[in-house]
Amino acid sequence: MPIARCTSCAKSLRMSALPRENVQDYPRPPALEPVGARLRVLFAGQTIADTVNGWRVLETHHAPSYYIPPSDVRQELVTPAGGGSFCEWKGRARYWTIEVDGQRADRAAWSYDSPTPGFADIAGHFAFYAALVEACYVGETRVLPQPGSFYGGWVTPNLDGTIKGGPGTEGW
């Protein structure tokens, strides 16, 4: 499925100058790299997370997943959620619920307490599902959620290629 683009996203792209990237060129196994842009997450009118010290994971056919240090997340607004999942590359994930002024988003974030050695830099960092919060930003660019409900990548208008997550693509 081609990546959706919108005119307001294109305008944001010009403002933030994110470089063109093709998700088919991302590596497998995935790579971890620091992010040079500001990352923000909003929920129920509140800034939940705001950092210039984020990381992103790049994996073939995925939109990047962004990780925010715990010191840059409003910890009083996130609580552990039940369950977990396992990533063959990063290890066991735990989930977090966000609650602000009576508004709640269950399992809207995840983190790795003890990731595998190649991903040790994101231990304890939070990643957020863009579909479950009010808005996420890379620089001044508002992101779209990765297709489907399983993956948590952030789709920005500078991405080319086919991003997995929609019907029929989760097993790639």
Coordinates of all heavy atoms in Angstrom, one line a residue, residues 86-145:
F86 N 6.6 -9.4 22.6 CA 8.0 -9.7 22.4 C 8.5 -9.3 20.9 O 7.8 -9.7 20.0 CB 8.3 -11.2 22.6 CG 9.7 -11.6 22.5 CD1 10.6 -11.3 23.5 CD2 10.2 -12.2 21.3 CE1 12.0 -11.7 23.4 CE2 11.5 -12.5 21.2 CZ 12.4 -12.3 22.2
C87 N 9.6 -8.6 20.8 CA 10.2 -8.3 19.5 C 11.4 -9.1 19.4 O 12.3 -9.1 20.3 CB 10.5 -6.8 19.5 SG 11.5 -6.3 18.1
E88 N 11.6 -9.8 18.3 CA 12.7 -10.6 18.0 C 14.0 -9.8 18.1 O 15.1 -10.4 18.3 CB 12.6 -11.3 16.7 CG 12.6 -10.4 15.5 CD 12.4 -11.2 14.2 OE1 13.2 -12.1 13.9 OE2 11.5 -10.8 13.5
W89 N 14.0 -8.5 17.9 CA 15.2 -7.7 17.8 C 15.4 -7.0 19.1 O 16.6 -6.8 19.5 CB 15.1 -6.6 16.7 CG 14.7 -7.2 15.4 CD1 13.6 -7.0 14.7 CD2 15.5 -8.2 14.6 NE1 13.6 -7.7 13.5 CE2 14.7 -8.4 13.4 CE3 16.7 -8.8 14.8 CZ2 15.2 -9.3 12.5 CZ3 17.1 -9.7 13.8 CH2 16.4 -9.9 12.7
K90 N 14.4 -6.5 19.8 CA 14.6 -5.6 21.0 C 14.3 -6.3 22.3 O 14.7 -5.9 23.3 CB 13.7 -4.4 20.8 CG 14.1 -3.5 19.7 CD 13.3 -2.3 19.5 CE 11.9 -2.5 19.0 NZ 11.7 -3.0 17.6
G91 N 13.5 -7.4 22.2 CA 13.2 -8.1 23.5 C 11.7 -7.9 23.9 O 10.9 -7.6 23.1
R92 N 11.5 -8.0 25.2 CA 10.2 -7.9 25.8 C 9.8 -6.5 26.1 O 10.5 -5.7 26.7 CB 10.1 -8.7 27.1 CG 8.8 -8.6 27.8 CD 8.1 -9.8 28.3 NE 8.3 -11.1 27.6 CZ 7.4 -11.5 26.7 NH1 6.3 -10.8 26.3 NH2 7.6 -12.7 26.1
A93 N 8.6 -6.1 25.6 CA 8.0 -4.8 25.7 C 6.9 -4.8 26.8 O 6.3 -5.8 27.0 CB 7.5 -4.3 24.4
R94 N 6.8 -3.7 27.5 CA 5.7 -3.5 28.4 C 4.9 -2.3 27.8 O 5.4 -1.5 27.1 CB 6.1 -3.3 29.8 CG 6.9 -2.0 30.0 CD 7.5 -1.8 31.3 NE 6.5 -1.8 32.4 CZ 6.7 -1.4 33.6 NH1 7.9 -1.1 34.0 NH2 5.8 -1.3 34.5
Y95 N 3.6 -2.2 28.3 CA 2.7 -1.2 27.7 C 2.3 -0.2 28.8 O 2.4 -0.5 30.0 CB 1.5 -1.8 27.1 CG 1.9 -2.5 25.8 CD1 2.3 -3.8 25.8 CD2 1.9 -1.8 24.6 CE1 2.7 -4.5 24.7 CE2 2.3 -2.5 23.4 CZ 2.7 -3.8 23.5 OH 3.1 -4.4 22.3
W96 N 1.9 1.0 28.4 CA 1.5 2.1 29.2 C 0.2 2.7 28.8 O -0.1 2.8 27.6 CB 2.6 3.2 29.2 CG 4.0 2.6 29.6 CD1 4.9 2.1 28.9 CD2 4.5 2.6 31.0 NE1 6.0 1.7 29.6 CE2 5.8 2.0 30.9 CE3 4.0 3.1 32.2 CZ2 6.5 1.9 32.0 CZ3 4.8 2.9 33.3 CH2 6.1 2.3 33.2
T97 N -0.6 3.1 29.8 CA -1.8 3.8 29.6 C -1.6 5.3 30.0 O -0.9 5.6 30.9 CB -2.9 3.2 30.5 OG1 -3.2 1.9 30.0 CG2 -4.2 4.0 30.5
I98 N -2.2 6.1 29.2 CA -2.2 7.6 29.4 C -3.5 8.0 29.9 O -4.6 7.6 29.4 CB -1.9 8.4 28.1 CG1 -0.6 7.9 27.5 CG2 -1.8 9.9 28.4 CD1 -0.3 8.5 26.1
E99 N -3.5 8.8 31.0 CA -4.8 9.4 31.5 C -4.6 10.9 31.9 O -3.7 11.2 32.6 CB -5.2 8.6 32.7 CG -6.7 9.0 33.1 CD -7.3 7.9 34.0 OE1 -6.7 6.9 34.3 OE2 -8.5 8.1 34.3
V100 N -5.4 11.7 31.3 CA -5.4 13.1 31.5 C -6.8 13.6 31.7 O -7.7 13.5 30.8 CB -4.7 13.9 30.3 CG1 -4.8 15.4 30.5 CG2 -3.3 13.4 30.1
D101 N -7.1 14.2 32.8 CA -8.5 14.9 33.0 C -9.6 13.9 32.6 O -10.6 14.4 31.9 CB -8.6 16.2 32.3 CG -7.5 17.2 32.8 OD1 -7.2 17.2 34.0 OD2 -7.1 18.0 31.9
G102 N -9.5 12.7 33.0 CA -10.6 11.7 32.7 C -10.6 11.1 31.3 O -11.3 10.2 31.1
Q103 N -9.7 11.6 30.5 CA -9.5 11.0 29.2 C -8.4 9.9 29.3 O -7.4 10.2 29.9 CB -9.2 12.0 28.1 CG -10.3 13.0 27.8 CD -10.0 13.9 26.7 OE1 -9.6 13.5 25.6 NE2 -10.2 15.2 26.9
R104 N -8.7 8.8 28.7 CA -7.8 7.6 28.8 C -7.5 7.0 27.5 O -8.3 6.8 26.7 CB -8.4 6.7 29.8 CG -7.7 5.5 30.1 CD -8.5 4.6 31.1 NE -7.9 3.3 31.3 CZ -7.3 3.0 32.4 NH1 -7.2 3.8 33.4 NH2 -6.7 1.8 32.5
A105 N -6.2 6.6 27.3 CA -5.8 5.8 26.1 C -5.0 4.6 26.6 O -3.9 4.7 27.1 CB -4.9 6.7 25.2
D106 N -5.7 3.5 26.6 CA -5.1 2.2 27.1 C -4.0 1.7 26.1 O -4.2 1.8 24.9 CB -6.2 1.1 27.2 CG -7.1 1.4 28.4 OD1 -6.6 1.9 29.4 OD2 -8.3 1.3 28.2
R107 N -2.9 1.3 26.7 CA -1.8 0.7 25.9 C -1.4 1.7 24.7 O -1.1 1.2 23.6 CB -2.2 -0.7 25.4 CG -2.4 -1.7 26.5 CD -2.9 -3.0 26.1 NE -2.1 -3.6 25.1 CZ -1.3 -4.7 25.4 NH1 -1.1 -5.1 26.6 NH2 -0.6 -5.2 24.4
A108 N -1.3 2.9 25.0 CA -1.0 4.0 24.0 C 0.5 4.2 23.9 O 1.0 4.8 23.0 CB -1.6 5.3 24.4
A109 N 1.3 3.5 24.8 CA 2.8 3.6 24.7 C 3.4 2.3 25.1 O 2.7 1.5 25.7 CB 3.3 4.7 25.6
W110 N 4.7 2.1 24.7 CA 5.4 0.9 25.1 C 6.8 1.3 25.4 O 7.3 2.3 25.0 CB 5.3 -0.2 24.1 CG 6.1 0.0 22.8 CD1 7.4 -0.5 22.6 CD2 5.7 0.8 21.7 NE1 7.8 -0.1 21.4 CE2 6.8 0.7 20.7 CE3 4.6 1.5 21.3 CZ2 6.8 1.3 19.5 CZ3 4.6 2.1 20.0 CH2 5.7 2.0 19.2
S111 N 7.5 0.4 26.1 CA 8.9 0.6 26.4 C 9.6 -0.8 26.6 O 8.9 -1.8 26.8 CB 9.1 1.4 27.7 OG 8.6 0.8 28.8
Y112 N 10.9 -0.8 26.6 CA 11.7 -2.0 26.9 C 12.5 -1.7 28.1 O 13.4 -0.8 28.1 CB 12.6 -2.3 25.7 CG 11.8 -2.6 24.5 CD1 11.5 -1.6 23.5 CD2 11.4 -3.9 24.2 CE1 10.7 -2.0 22.4 CE2 10.7 -4.3 23.1 CZ 10.4 -3.3 22.2 OH 9.7 -3.6 21.0
D113 N 12.2 -2.4 29.2 CA 13.0 -2.2 30.4 C 14.5 -2.7 30.3 O 15.4 -2.1 30.7 CB 12.4 -3.0 31.6 CG 11.1 -2.4 32.0 OD1 10.8 -1.2 31.8 OD2 10.2 -3.1 32.6
S114 N 14.6 -3.9 29.6 CA 15.9 -4.5 29.4 C 16.0 -5.0 28.0 O 16.0 -6.2 27.7 CB 16.1 -5.7 30.4 OG 16.0 -5.3 31.7
P115 N 16.2 -4.1 27.0 CA 16.3 -4.5 25.6 C 17.6 -5.3 25.4 O 18.5 -5.3 26.2 CB 16.2 -3.2 24.8 CG 16.8 -2.2 25.8 CD 16.3 -2.6 27.2
T116 N 17.6 -5.9 24.2 CA 18.8 -6.6 23.8 C 20.0 -5.7 23.7 O 19.8 -4.4 23.6 CB 18.6 -7.3 22.4 OG1 18.2 -6.3 21.5 CG2 17.4 -8.4 22.5
P117 N 21.2 -6.2 23.7 CA 22.4 -5.3 23.8 C 22.4 -4.2 22.7 O 22.8 -3.1 22.9 CB 23.5 -6.2 23.7 CG 23.0 -7.5 24.4 CD 21.6 -7.6 23.9
G118 N 22.0 -4.6 21.5 CA 22.0 -3.6 20.3 C 21.1 -2.4 20.5 O 21.2 -1.4 19.8
F119 N 20.1 -2.6 21.4 CA 19.1 -1.5 21.7 C 19.2 -1.0 23.1 O 18.2 -0.4 23.6 CB 17.7 -2.0 21.3 CG 17.6 -2.3 19.8 CD1 17.9 -3.6 19.3 CD2 17.2 -1.3 18.9 CE1 17.9 -3.8 18.0 CE2 17.2 -1.6 17.6 CZ 17.5 -2.8 17.1
A120 N 20.3 -1.2 23.8 CA 20.4 -0.8 25.2 C 20.2 0.7 25.4 O 19.7 1.1 26.4 CB 21.8 -1.2 25.7
D121 N 20.5 1.5 24.3 CA 20.3 3.0 24.5 C 18.8 3.4 24.7 O 18.6 4.5 25.1 CB 20.9 3.7 23.2 CG 22.4 3.7 23.2 OD1 23.0 3.7 24.3 OD2 22.9 3.7 22.1
I122 N 17.9 2.5 24.3 CA 16.5 2.9 24.5 C 15.8 2.2 25.8 O 14.6 2.3 25.9 CB 15.6 2.6 23.3 CG1 15.6 1.1 22.9 CG2 16.1 3.5 22.1 CD1 14.6 0.8 21.8
A123 N 16.6 1.7 26.6 CA 16.1 1.1 27.8 C 15.3 2.1 28.6 O 15.8 3.2 28.9 CB 17.2 0.5 28.7
G124 N 14.1 1.8 28.9 CA 13.2 2.7 29.7 C 12.6 3.8 28.9 O 11.7 4.5 29.4
H125 N 13.0 4.0 27.6 CA 12.4 5.1 26.8 C 11.0 4.7 26.4 O 10.7 3.5 26.2 CB 13.3 5.3 25.6 CG 14.6 6.0 25.8 ND1 15.4 5.6 26.8 CD2 15.1 7.0 25.2 CE1 16.5 6.4 26.8 NE2 16.3 7.3 25.8
F126 N 10.2 5.7 26.1 CA 8.8 5.5 25.7 C 8.6 5.7 24.2 O 9.1 6.7 23.7 CB 7.9 6.5 26.5 CG 7.7 6.2 27.9 CD1 8.7 6.6 28.9 CD2 6.6 5.6 28.4 CE1 8.5 6.4 30.2 CE2 6.4 5.3 29.8 CZ 7.4 5.7 30.7
A127 N 7.8 4.8 23.6 CA 7.4 5.0 22.3 C 5.9 5.1 22.3 O 5.2 4.4 23.1 CB 7.8 3.8 21.4
F128 N 5.3 5.9 21.5 CA 3.8 6.2 21.5 C 3.2 5.8 20.2 O 3.7 6.1 19.1 CB 3.6 7.7 21.8 CG 4.0 8.1 23.2 CD1 5.3 8.5 23.4 CD2 3.1 8.1 24.2 CE1 5.7 8.9 24.7 CE2 3.5 8.5 25.5 CZ 4.8 8.9 25.7
Y129 N 2.0 5.2 20.3 CA 1.2 4.9 19.1 C 0.5 6.2 18.7 O -0.4 6.8 19.4 CB 0.1 3.9 19.4 CG 0.6 2.5 19.6 CD1 0.8 1.9 20.8 CD2 0.9 1.7 18.4 CE1 1.3 0.6 20.9 CE2 1.3 0.4 18.5 CZ 1.5 -0.1 19.8 OH 2.0 -1.4 19.9
A130 N 0.8 6.7 17.5 CA 0.3 8.0 17.0 C -1.2 7.9 16.9 O -1.9 8.9 17.1 CB 0.9 8.4 15.7
A131 N -1.8 6.7 16.6 CA -3.2 6.6 16.4 C -4.0 6.7 17.8 O -5.2 7.0 17.8 CB -3.5 5.2 15.8
L132 N -3.3 6.6 18.9 CA -4.0 6.6 20.2 C -3.8 7.9 21.0 O -4.3 8.0 22.1 CB -3.5 5.4 21.0 CG -3.8 4.0 20.4 CD1 -3.2 2.9 21.3 CD2 -5.3 3.8 20.1
V133 N -3.1 8.8 20.4 CA -2.9 10.1 21.1 C -3.4 11.2 20.2 O -3.8 11.0 19.1 CB -1.4 10.3 21.5 CG1 -0.9 9.3 22.4 CG2 -0.5 10.4 20.2
E134 N -3.5 12.4 20.7 CA -4.0 13.5 20.0 C -3.1 13.9 18.8 O -3.6 14.1 17.7 CB -4.1 14.7 20.9 CG -4.7 16.0 20.3 CD -4.8 17.1 21.4 OE1 -5.1 16.8 22.6 OE2 -4.6 18.2 21.0
A135 N -1.8 13.9 19.0 CA -0.9 14.3 17.9 C 0.6 13.9 18.3 O 0.9 14.0 19.5 CB -0.9 15.8 17.6
C136 N 1.4 13.6 17.3 CA 2.8 13.4 17.5 C 3.5 14.2 16.4 O 3.0 14.4 15.3 CB 3.2 11.9 17.3 SG 2.4 10.8 18.5
Y137 N 4.7 14.7 16.8 CA 5.5 15.6 15.9 C 6.9 15.2 15.8 O 7.5 14.8 16.9 CB 5.4 17.0 16.3 CG 4.0 17.7 16.2 CD1 3.1 17.6 17.2 CD2 3.7 18.4 15.1 CE1 1.9 18.1 17.1 CE2 2.4 18.9 14.9 CZ 1.5 18.8 16.0 OH 0.3 19.4 15.9
V138 N 7.5 15.2 14.6 CA 8.9 15.1 14.4 C 9.3 16.5 13.9 O 8.9 16.9 12.8 CB 9.3 14.0 13.4 CG1 10.8 14.1 13.1 CG2 8.9 12.7 13.9
G139 N 10.0 17.3 14.7 CA 10.2 18.7 14.3 C 8.9 19.3 14.3 O 8.1 19.2 15.2
E140 N 8.6 20.1 13.2 CA 7.3 20.7 13.1 C 6.3 19.9 12.3 O 5.2 20.3 12.0 CB 7.5 22.1 12.4 CG 8.3 23.1 13.3 CD 7.6 23.3 14.6 OE1 6.4 23.5 14.7 OE2 8.4 23.3 15.6
T141 N 6.7 18.7 11.9 CA 5.9 17.8 11.1 C 5.0 16.9 11.9 O 5.5 16.1 12.7 CB 6.7 16.9 10.2 OG1 7.6 17.8 9.4 CG2 5.9 16.1 9.2
R142 N 3.7 17.1 11.7 CA 2.7 16.2 12.4 C 2.7 14.8 11.7 O 2.6 14.8 10.4 CB 1.3 16.8 12.4 CG 0.3 16.0 13.2 CD -1.0 16.7 13.4 NE -1.9 15.8 14.1 CZ -3.0 16.3 14.7 NH1 -3.3 17.5 14.5 NH2 -3.7 15.5 15.3
V143 N 2.8 13.8 12.4 CA 2.9 12.4 11.8 C 1.5 11.8 11.7 O 0.6 12.2 12.3 CB 3.8 11.5 12.7 CG1 5.2 12.2 12.9 CG2 3.2 11.1 14.0
L144 N 1.5 10.8 10.8 CA 0.3 9.9 10.7 C 0.7 8.6 11.3 O 1.9 8.2 11.3 CB 0.0 9.7 9.2 CG -0.4 10.9 8.4 CD1 -0.6 10.6 7.0 CD2 -1.7 11.5 9.0
P145 N -0.2 7.8 11.8 CA 0.1 6.5 12.4 C 0.5 5.5 11.3 O 0.0 5.6 10.2 CB -1.1 6.1 13.1 CG -2.2 6.9 12.6 CD -1.6 8.2 12.0

